[in-house]
């Protein structure tokens, strides 16, 4: 369940799907911890209106899910719209 913005430095609380952007990220992992069992997890994350203009959510193999800045060209396009 999503309860707040995925940006760790933001304290915005999730109230509506209209107020930001929801991300669905699939992560493969080791469910048994011994390197033999694999799991497939789906994570739901939300960035508030303010954060989704300059940030996105990515899943990196072996690193988990991270909130990262958008490339400069993407932030320019979003600011214009």
């Amino acid at each position: 369940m999503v309860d707040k913005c995925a940006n760790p430095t933001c304290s915005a609380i999730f109230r509506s799907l209209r107020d930001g952007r929801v991300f669905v990220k699939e992560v493969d992992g080791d469910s048994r911890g011994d390197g033999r069992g694999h799991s497939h997890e789906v994570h739901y994350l939300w960035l508030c209106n303010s954060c989704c203009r300059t940030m996105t959510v990515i899943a990196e193999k072996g690193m988990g899910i991270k909130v990262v800045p958008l490339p400069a060209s993407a932030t320019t396009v979003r600011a214009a719209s």
Side-chain angles (χ1 to χ4, degrees):
M1 172 149 219
V2 175
D3 59 349
K4 74 171 270 327
C5 183
N7 178 0
T9 62
C10 180
S11 59
I13 296 172
F14 176 78
R15 291 195 171 92
S16 170
L17 289 172
R18 292 178 289 165
D19 300 330
R21 185 169 176 206
V22 174
F23 295 83
V24 179
K25 295 294 179 183
E26 297 178 20
V27 178
D28 290 325
D30 179 3
S31 62
R32 295 168 49 177
D34 61 6
R36 294 184 296 164
H38 296 286
S39 69
H40 185 77
E41 298 178 14
V42 177
H43 294 265
Y44 297 90
L45 301 106
W46 171 74
L47 287 175
C48 69
N49 274 331
S50 178
C51 292
C52 74
R53 293 171 196 231
T54 60
M55 306 183 98
T56 191
V57 177
I58 62 168
E60 289 185 340
K61 192 168 189 152
M63 299 296 290
I65 296 175
K66 296 177 10 179
V67 176
V68 297
L70 284 170
S73 60
T75 56
T76 304
V77 171
R78 285 182 187 239
S81 51

